[in-house]
Amino acid sequence: MAKPVIVGAVRTAIGRSFKGALANVPTETLATTVLPEAVRRAGLEPAAVDDVVFAELNYGGGDLARHAAVACGMETVPGQAVNRHCAGSLTAIANASAHIRSDMERVLVAGGVQSLSTAPLMKWRKPDSGPEMEFVEPWIPPSHPETPDAPTMDMSVTVGWNTAKAVGISRAEMDAWALRSHQRACDAIEAGKFVDEIVPLKVTRADGTVLDFAVDEHPRRDTTLERLAALPVLHPEIEGFSITAGNSSGINDAGAAVALVGDDYAAAEGLEVMATVRAWANVGVAPRDTGLGAVKVIGKVLERAGLAVGDVALWEINEAFASTPIAACREYGMDEERVNFSGSGCSLGHPISASGARMVTTLIYELRRRGGGIGVAAMCAGGGMGGALVLEV
């Protein structure tokens, strides 16, 4: 039985949705940027790829992986679309790893792409509209049944606020975590830590000039605790509400992908192994407790990998809201210095379907810089879910 190993990992820089460098870059372009680059970096021939597995959310119901394969000249390669909301690209990598471990496939590319800037909105036909086909306003399908404590379209409640209440996390703690996130992300950018993992993307501006987009644009060096504390809460009508735009993740665009093969295939072809996928897991929780999905899944994935918290060198726990990594650190007694070492959702941003693969990519490059070790990527996902992946470099 082959072990799934990652032999190529890449991401785009992360843009600010609607007003950033990628605001007019289609989802398909992000996909056709990271797919061939992951294959090239792995030293693979495109014809050797057995399948492409890409997460997509709010893309419009297509099969982005297959679209990208054909557009990149890989017509004999099928494609699979995955949707597990925020944890989609972690699931894509897990699915690809399972194909390899079961000896059903040898070479796959997995990841995810998100362009919230260009994502289409659906229309739902009114039940009694008849042949006139009246539609409701543009709409996104809900992730779970609506309840007062779990609104379907407001993660500031189901992830940020409900987690803060459940664990007893203050606004001051969340603002401090967000500030550290921005500081770490800016330090990483200035130190050139992301250069190797990012593929530059040529973007044509409105004035016709071309930008080589290669630097994450969401982190803010000028953020301070005073500025974060001055931001209004998102729901002033809710007593004690403490979630703000500052201690929440950004709204972002990006793509990320990894190339996976079996360890036996890598040895036979002389491919450099960047990381081994040790384990993966997913959980479901009550939708009102969505933010705790990331906390619960960590215990499950560590058990599957036969590891303890102390065995993990680095953690990526997505900052959909700052309350989530804080809750995880409290639950497991983690060393916060090892968590989100180069920033996360509050600073780098949260390009939903790409975030998991982005986290995996960043973990791999940082662990390699540090001489190896175990890395865990974990995140909550809309609708009351959590996903996690264990890597060894």
Side-chain angles (χ1 to χ4, degrees), residues 184-204:
R184 287 190 166 192
C186 290
D187 288 347
I189 290 170
E190 290 168 10
K193 285 189 173 184
F194 297 139
V195 171
D196 289 343
E197 67 190 58
I198 290 176
V199 54
L201 180 61
K202 292 190 180 297
V203 178
T204 302

Side-chain angles (χ1 to χ4, degrees), residues 269-296:
E269 298 295 323
L271 305 177
E272 180 185 4
V273 173
M274 301 181 74
T276 300
V277 180
R278 288 273 301 264
W280 54 89
N282 299 283
V283 298
V285 297
R288 67 177 180 275
D289 297 328
T290 295
L292 297 175
V295 180
K296 184 175 181 181

Side-chain angles (χ1 to χ4, degrees), residues 96-336:
S97 298
H99 281 298
I100 291 168
R101 187 174 286 182
S102 64
D103 293 326
M104 290 293 103
E105 307 284 12
R106 299 184 305 168
V107 181
L108 299 98
V109 179
V113 175
Q114 189 75 57
S115 173
L116 285 168
S117 295
T118 66
L121 293 174
M122 298 182 182
K123 288 187 176 182
W124 191 265
R125 185 183 72 85
K126 291 182 179 179
D128 300 323
S129 64
E132 291 79 15
M133 297 288 284
E134 288 184 72
F135 293 92
V136 300
E137 292 299 312
W139 171 83
I140 298 172
S143 58
H144 61 272
E146 180 95 19
T147 60
D149 60 352
T152 58
M153 300 303 295
D154 195 342
M155 295 294 175
S156 72
V157 175
T158 58
V159 178
W161 175 232
N162 288 352
T163 301
K165 285 194 301 179
V167 183
I169 302 168
S170 69
R171 173 170 175 178
E173 289 174 296
M174 291 186 284
D175 286 350
W177 187 282
L179 175 63
R180 190 192 73 166
S181 180
H182 281 279
Q183 291 171 337
R184 287 190 166 192
C186 290
D187 288 347
I189 290 170
E190 290 168 10
K193 285 189 173 184
F194 297 139
V195 171
D196 289 343
E197 67 190 58
I198 290 176
V199 54
L201 180 61
K202 292 190 180 297
V203 178
T204 302
R205 296 174 167 136
D207 61 2
T209 60
V210 177
L211 166 70
D212 268 339
F213 182 58
V215 179
D216 301 310
E217 63 184 7
H218 195 75
R220 298 177 181 271
R221 174 58 77 182
D222 60 353
T223 296
T224 65
L225 276 179
E226 291 74 21
R227 289 186 177 184
L228 289 168
L231 292 172
V233 298
L234 299 180
H235 285 290
E237 76 281 4
I238 299 176
E239 184 179 356
F241 201 82
S242 56
I243 307 303
T244 71
N247 54 43
S248 308
S249 61
I251 300 172
N252 303 94
D253 308 323
V258 301
L260 299 105
V261 301
D263 59 339
D264 53 351
Y265 185 94
E269 298 295 323
L271 305 177
E272 180 185 4
V273 173
M274 301 181 74
T276 300
V277 180
R278 288 273 301 264
W280 54 89
N282 299 283
V283 298
V285 297
R288 67 177 180 275
D289 297 328
T290 295
L292 297 175
V295 180
K296 184 175 181 181
V297 77
I298 287 171
K300 185 175 181 178
V301 81
L302 289 179
E303 182 179 0
R304 287 187 173 179
L307 297 169
V309 171
D311 297 322
V312 180
L314 293 175
W315 302 84
E316 279 271 2
I317 304 173
N318 187 42
E319 296 163 359
F321 294 85
S323 55
T324 295
I326 296 173
C329 287
R330 287 191 185 178
E331 175 70 19
Y332 296 102
M334 296 171 182
D335 177 359
E336 292 184 1

Side-chain angles (χ1 to χ4, degrees), residues 335-351:
D335 177 359
E336 292 184 1
E337 291 304 308
R338 299 187 180 196
V339 180
N340 300 349
F341 43 88
S342 294
S344 184
C346 289
S347 54
L348 292 171
H350 182 16

